[in-house]
Structure formats: C-alpha cells, structure tokens
Amino acid sequence: MYKPLTNRKIYLASASPRRRQLLAALDVDVNLIPPREVDESYPHDIPAKYVAEYISRKKAEAYTHDIEPGSVVITADTVVICDGRVLGKPHGGPEAARDMLRSLSGKEHQVITGVTLTTAEHGMTSFSTTTRVWFKPLSEEEIDYYVEKYHPSDKAGAYGIQEWIGYIGIPRIDGDYYNVMGLPLHDLFMMLSTLN
C-alpha cells in the first residue's frame, strides 16, 4: 500500500466493479460500502458540465452522518454530453442503448466524472474531470453486436471504452482515459494526497 495515503481509511460508495478496480490500482486499501438509494435527478437549469459533480454530491449526502474521523468516503457519477444533451445510463433497455450509440456515432462528445470526497473533519470536497472522446461512424451491425453481446445498460452513454466498442470505434481521446472508464485516477490521487 502506498504509505502517504495510509493515514485515512478509504471507503468507496459505488456498485461499479470498474470504479473499485480503478481505485485499487492506486495501491490503496479500498473498503466497499453499498451505495444508498439516491434520487439522481438534477435541476434542468444546471449547466450540463456540472451535472456529474452535482449528482456525486447528492450521493455523498447520504453518508454525511455516518463518517468516522480519519476516514474518507468517495462517491462519483459519470455522464456523457453530446450535442448539449446529458446522457446517463440507458434505462430504456437495449433500444435505448442503441439510440445513445447512434447519437454518438461519428461525433465528438465529452465524458465528465464528478467526484466527491467526504470526511468528518472537512465535509465535502468535489471536483470534476472532462475527457473529449471521438467516435467513428458506427454501422447498425456494429451497434447491434455491441449491445447484444456486452449489455451496456450500466454505463453512461451506453458504452465502455475498455470494451469491444472502444477498440473498434474510438480513434482518439483528449484527456484522462480512466475518467472515461468512470474514475479520473490522476485527479483523485492528487485530491487524496491533500487530505491530512
């Protein structure tokens, strides 16, 4: 374990196996706590670039009364923004996932992950990280194959960059690759390093 980060017990409040894997890659002991039911709606007048951070703070609020001194709870939310629209997870099933992928096909979009660190001593500290992603034009056959084989219903924008669709469909990104997976590791490491 990386010693400078051992002064706090680190909790990840997320059901995402990708986030747990990514956080563990920082060589820290990760304690998983089950995510609590949170209304993930947001005000319609909030700028799209602030939505992920807003939702990460709502998730954090569910834990503010339970945090022990010397610990930190990490909550996060990822959204995709394309043509000014915020795309979360495709809750309408496979056809909703296909529609999202069609809307991303041949376009640049932004992936934004909002992260909130909550401690008993300092309360909530939030930040967000943006990565620009380009998709090649996707064929209907490619979209159908990906949705049917990979079932991306738990992924913002209906895709995982670390899966088949990312290998064949994403020729370029500008920014943090791990942010597109769901956790901006560089920025998170820097924030964790400032906690004392």
Side-chain angles (χ1 to χ4, degrees):
M1 184 165 166
Y2 183 62
K3 292 192 182 302
L5 296 183
T6 59
N7 58 334
R8 284 190 181 272
K9 195 166 186 178
I10 298 173
Y11 293 94
L12 175 64
S14 175
S16 167
R18 292 172 301 281
R19 287 198 178 116
R20 184 188 186 287
Q21 179 185 18
L22 288 169
L23 186 55
L26 293 180
D27 285 347
V28 298
D29 284 334
V30 182
N31 301 278
L32 287 181
I33 50 178
R36 295 182 176 168
E37 196 67 34
V38 173
D39 171 18
E40 295 188 18
S41 63
Y42 52 89
H44 292 293
D45 59 349
I46 188 173
K49 65 182 180 179
Y50 297 124
V51 168
E53 191 171 324
Y54 178 88
I55 295 172
S56 80
R57 289 182 72 85
K58 284 182 82 172
K59 290 177 179 179
E61 287 168 0
Y63 299 92
T64 52
H65 300 296
D66 304 324
I67 298 175
E68 301 169 358
S71 65
V72 57
V73 173
I74 301 170
T75 54
D77 191 74
T78 302
V79 299
V80 168
I81 301 173
C82 185
D83 297 331
R85 282 180 53 219
V86 176
L87 305 178
K89 298 172 184 174
H91 294 299
E95 196 51 46
R98 290 184 182 92
D99 287 343
M100 281 190 184
L101 289 170
R102 288 183 194 112
S103 73
L104 298 174
S105 176
K107 295 180 183 174
E108 174 203 344
H109 62 275
Q110 296 177 315
V111 178
I112 302 177
T113 300
V115 180
T116 298
L117 308 179
T118 308
T119 66
E121 297 84 0
H122 305 294
M124 291 190 288
T125 302
S126 300
F127 68 92
S128 60
T129 300
T130 301
T131 303
R132 294 166 68 197
V133 181
W134 284 260
F135 259 115
K136 78 174 185 75
L138 299 170
S139 69
E140 284 297 310
E141 183 179 21
E142 289 166 342
I143 290 171
D144 286 343
Y145 175 80
Y146 177 68
V147 170
E148 289 167 18
K149 182 166 183 180
Y150 290 89
H151 312 288
S153 61
D154 65 334
K155 297 174 177 69
Y159 78 90
I161 193 172
Q162 73 282 7
E163 295 176 339
W164 182 83
I165 198 77
Y167 305 152
I168 66 100
I170 298 176
R172 176 183 170 201
I173 72 167
D174 181 7
D176 186 338
Y177 172 85
Y178 302 104
N179 182 52
V180 185
M181 286 182 67
L183 209 55
L185 291 183
H186 170 78
D187 292 346
L188 177 57
F189 179 82
M190 297 304 289
M191 293 296 292
L192 285 170
S193 299
T194 67
L195 297 176
N196 49 34

